[in-house]
Amino acid sequence: MEESKKIDLSRPGKKLRLFFEALRLVWKSSPLWAALNTVISILRSIMPLAFIWLIRILTDSIASAVSSGMAHDGGKIMILIILAALLYFTDEVLSELGNYARKKQSDDLEQYMYGLLHSKSVRIDLINFEKTGYFDILTRAVREAPWRPNSILNNMVSVIRALLSLVLMAGLILTFRWTIVIIMLAANIPSIWLRLHFSGVLYHFHRDQTAEARKSAYFNWLLTGDRPSREIRLFGLGEYFINLFNRSFSRQKNDEMRIIRKRTYIEMFSALVRAAAFLVVFRIIASATLSGSVTLGQMAMVLIAFRQGMISLKDLFSATAGLYEDSLFIEDAFEFLGLRENIKAEKPVTAPGPLEKNIVLNNLSFSYPGNHEPAIRNVSFEIGKGEIIAIVGPNGAGKSTLARLLCRLYDPDSGSVEYDGLDIRHFDPDLYRKYFSVVFQDFMLYNLTAGENIRMGNTDENDQEAEIRVAATKAGISDLIEGLPSGYNTMIGNLFEDSRELSWGEWQKLAIARSLFRNAPVMILDEPSSALDADSEYEIFSRLRDMVRGRTAILISHRFTNVTLADRIIVLENGSVAESGTHEELIRSGGIYTRMYLKQTNTPGSGRTS
C-alpha cells in the first residue's frame, strides 16, 4: 500500500499542510462517500432556513384566517402544512443518508489508515523497537491515525454547514433588528475561548500521559494475558499487579478529570450567558409583538432563527475547536508515518542471487541505542558456501545480534557484510532476505493451522502441501501433526475455537519446519533446541547435516556440546571473536572454548564435581 507523502513537521505552515494531507487521505480512501457526505451536510444547512420561512408564512396565514374568519383559506393552510411535513421528512431522510455515508466513509478510511500503519510498521527499521520513545510514537499513531483525518473532514464540513446556516439565520434576524445579531455573537465568546483553550490543554495532557497509558496497558496485559497467567497464579501476583494497574490508571484519570471538571464549570457559566441572551432577545421580540410592530409569524420566525443561530454558532465553534484539536493530534499520526527508513538499498543497487562463494564480515561493530558498550566489536570472519558454521559464547556475547546483522535487520555502526563480494547495503533488503531462513531464539507462535504455521516460511506460492510435509518430517513434527484431529488443517494454539495447544518444544519444531520450508540457501538457527527435550535435541542435531544439505548453515548456541558437528566454530566473548577453528583444534588450544566445553560436559579436569 502506498505510504502517505512525507511531511516536514518543523517548517512553518505545517498544520495547513497536514490538513490537506489528511483530506487527501480521506478522499483517496473513499471518494464517493466523502463527496456524498459533504453534499448532504451542505444541503442540510439550508433546510432550517426553508423550514423557518415556511413556519412564518404558516403562522401568519393561520393568524389572518382566525382574525378574519376566512375559512376558505383552509386549503392554503393545508398545503403549507403538507409542505412543512415534506420538508421535515426530507431533512430526516437526509439525516439518515448522511449517517450512513459518514459510517461508510469512516469504515473505508479506518481500513485505509490501518493499511498505512501496518505497511509502515512492517517496513520500519527494527532498531526502532530498541528505543523507548518509538513505542510512545507508535501508541499515539495507532490511537489517532484511523479516525483523525475523517474528523478533519467532518469538522471542516461542519464549519461550512454551520457558517452557512449562521449567515442565513443572521440575515433573517437582520430584517427585524441588528442588535439581536450582536447579542447572539457576543453570548458565544466565552464558549469559543473555552473550547480552544481546553483542546490544547487536553492534547498536551494526553501526549504527556502516553508513557503512563502504556504502563497501564502493560499491567492489564499481565493480568489478562495467556503468557503471564502461570506465574501470576504461581507467585500470587494478582493483587500486586491489580494495585499497580489501579494506581497507574487512577493517576491518569484523576488528572484528566481535574481538567474536565474545570472545563465543566466554565461551560456552565457559558450556558448561563447564552440563557441570559435568550431572555433579553425574547423580551425584545415579545414587546415588539405586543406593540403590533411585528406579526406573530415574524415573532415565531425571529425566535426560531435566533435559536437556530445560537445552535449554528455553537456548532461552528465546536467544529473550529475540533479542527484545532485535530491539528494537534494529526501530527502524532504523521510523525509515525514520516519516520525514516534507513535500511534500504544504497546506490548502485544490485540484485542478489543464491550464494555462490561466501559471506564475509569485515570489522563489524554495533551498539544498541542507549548502551555505552557495543554489543558487537570489530568482528571479522568468512562463511564459505555450503559450510556449517557454529557461533558460540555465553549469554550476552552478541550471537543473536550478529544473526540480525547478517540478515540486515540492523545496519552496523561500522564495518560491512559482503555477500558474494558485494556489500549487502546495495541490495534491496526484502530481496536479500529471501535468501535467508532463520529460526529465531524468540520464534513466533502463530495461532493458525499447523500447515499454515509451516507455510509462513514462504507465502509466495500456494499448493505446496508436499513440501510442507517434507519440512515437517525433517523437523520431526510430522507424526504429531498427522495425529491431530484435522491433521495439517488443525488450528494450533488456544486463541480460537477447535484448536490444539502444543508444548513449547513442539512449537519450536514447527518453527524449524517453517525455516526448512523456506528453502533458502543460507539458514541460521539461533538456539534451535532451547525448548527441546534431550531426545528431541539429539534427534535434531544428529540429522542436522541432512536437514541443511545443500545450504550454508549458521548455528548459534551457548550449548557447546551441540556444535561439535560444525565445520568451523567461532567463539564470541564480550562482542568480539575470541577463538575460531574446528572442535578438535579448539580443544587442543586449551582456551575459552575448552574451558566452557569441559564445564558443560562435566568432563574430569574441568574443575567441576558431579
Side-chain angles (χ1 to χ4, degrees), residues 176 285-299 302:
F176 174 70
I285 296 173
S287 297
T289 305
L290 290 173
S291 68
S293 60
V294 299
T295 65
L296 285 173
Q298 289 175 317
M299 182 189 79
V302 173

Side-chain angles (χ1 to χ4, degrees), residues 281-571:
V281 170
F282 208 125
R283 179 72 181 84
I284 293 171
I285 296 173
S287 297
T289 305
L290 290 173
S291 68
S293 60
V294 299
T295 65
L296 285 173
Q298 289 175 317
M299 182 189 79
M301 180 189 73
V302 173
L303 284 176
I304 296 173
F306 180 79
R307 175 58 180 161
Q308 184 62 43
M310 293 287 280
I311 293 173
S312 297
L313 267 173
K314 184 177 181 181
D315 291 344
L316 176 63
F317 294 154
S318 178
T320 303
L323 281 173
Y324 176 67
E325 181 180 297
D326 291 334
S327 73
L328 298 171
F329 280 100
I330 195 64
E331 287 190 24
D332 296 330
F334 285 112
E335 183 180 11
F336 174 75
L337 293 174
L339 287 175
R340 293 184 59 186
E341 297 163 23
N342 296 313
I343 298 194
K344 54 188 177 184
E346 298 179 2
K347 295 181 180 180
V349 179
T350 306
L355 187 66
E356 295 292 338
K357 296 183 296 184
N358 58 17
I359 299 173
V360 179
L361 286 72
N362 296 311
N363 294 316
L364 282 187
S365 293
F366 174 80
S367 299
Y368 286 99
N371 288 5
H372 300 295
E373 292 296 321
I376 291 292
R377 161 193 342 250
N378 299 323
V379 170
S380 298
F381 60 87
E382 177 184 339
I383 306 168
K385 177 185 177 181
E387 196 175 14
I388 299 179
I389 294 291
I391 301 176
V392 301
N395 291 332
K399 304 184 297 297
S400 296
T401 301
L402 201 57
R404 295 168 188 172
L405 290 168
L406 281 170
C407 297
R408 211 190 168 197
L409 296 174
Y410 299 153
D411 271 342
D413 299 332
S414 60
S416 64
V417 177
E418 293 183 358
Y419 182 92
D420 279 341
L422 297 172
D423 192 322
I424 65 173
R425 290 187 180 92
H426 298 295
F427 298 139
D428 179 279
D430 292 333
L431 294 179
Y432 171 69
R433 291 170 192 148
K434 286 183 181 293
Y435 296 101
F436 284 78
S437 184
V438 185
V439 180
F440 289 107
Q441 186 174 356
D442 51 348
F443 57 88
M444 273 299 300
L445 285 63
Y446 296 103
N447 282 261
L448 303 169
T449 66
E452 285 177 303
N453 260 277
I454 298 174
R455 199 173 76 84
M456 290 299 102
N458 182 10
T459 60
D460 291 342
E461 298 182 24
N462 296 317
D463 303 324
Q464 294 183 314
E465 186 175 341
E467 289 84 351
I468 288 175
R469 292 176 182 273
V470 169
T473 300
K474 286 184 177 180
I477 194 75
S478 59
D479 289 344
L480 183 142
I481 294 175
E482 289 167 3
L484 295 173
S486 300
Y488 285 82
N489 294 318
T490 304
M491 290 293 295
I492 303 300
N494 57 10
L495 192 59
F496 305 113
E497 293 182 1
D498 300 324
S499 60
R500 158 78 153 78
E501 181 59 291
L502 301 181
S503 70
W504 194 251
E506 290 166 341
W507 276 112
Q508 189 160 39
K509 286 184 179 180
L510 264 184
I512 294 172
R514 181 161 59 243
S515 180
L516 291 169
F517 176 70
R518 187 170 179 81
N519 201 27
V522 181
M523 188 170 183
I524 301 176
L525 299 99
D526 188 357
E527 302 288 0
S529 63
S530 59
L532 300 180
D533 57 45
D535 290 340
S536 297
E537 183 179 18
Y538 175 78
E539 178 189 357
I540 290 291
F541 281 96
S542 63
R543 294 187 294 105
L544 183 63
R545 282 197 174 272
D546 289 332
M547 287 169 55
V548 302
R549 190 179 302 279
R551 310 188 198 195
T552 303
I554 301 166
L555 174 62
I556 298 174
S557 181
H558 68 276
R559 299 186 187 182
F560 285 46
T561 54
N562 293 334
V563 300
T564 57
L565 52 79
D567 299 319
R568 191 154 42 94
I569 301 169
I570 310 293
V571 183

Side-chain angles (χ1 to χ4, degrees), residues 41 65 145 198 201 343 376 573 585:
S41 295
F198 279 98
V201 170
I343 298 194
I376 291 292
E573 187 177 42
E585 290 170 346

Side-chain angles (χ1 to χ4, degrees), residues 1 12 40 100 108 116 139 182 184 216 229 236 260 272 359 385 423 448 450 517-519 521 561 566 595 599:
M1 179 171 291
I40 289 174
Y100 181 83
D108 288 349
L116 287 180
T139 299
I182 300 299
M184 181 174 66
S216 297
S229 62
I260 293 175
L272 180 62
I359 299 173
K385 177 185 177 181
D423 192 322
L448 303 169
F517 176 70
R518 187 170 179 81
N519 201 27
T561 54
R595 185 173 67 253
K599 283 183 178 180

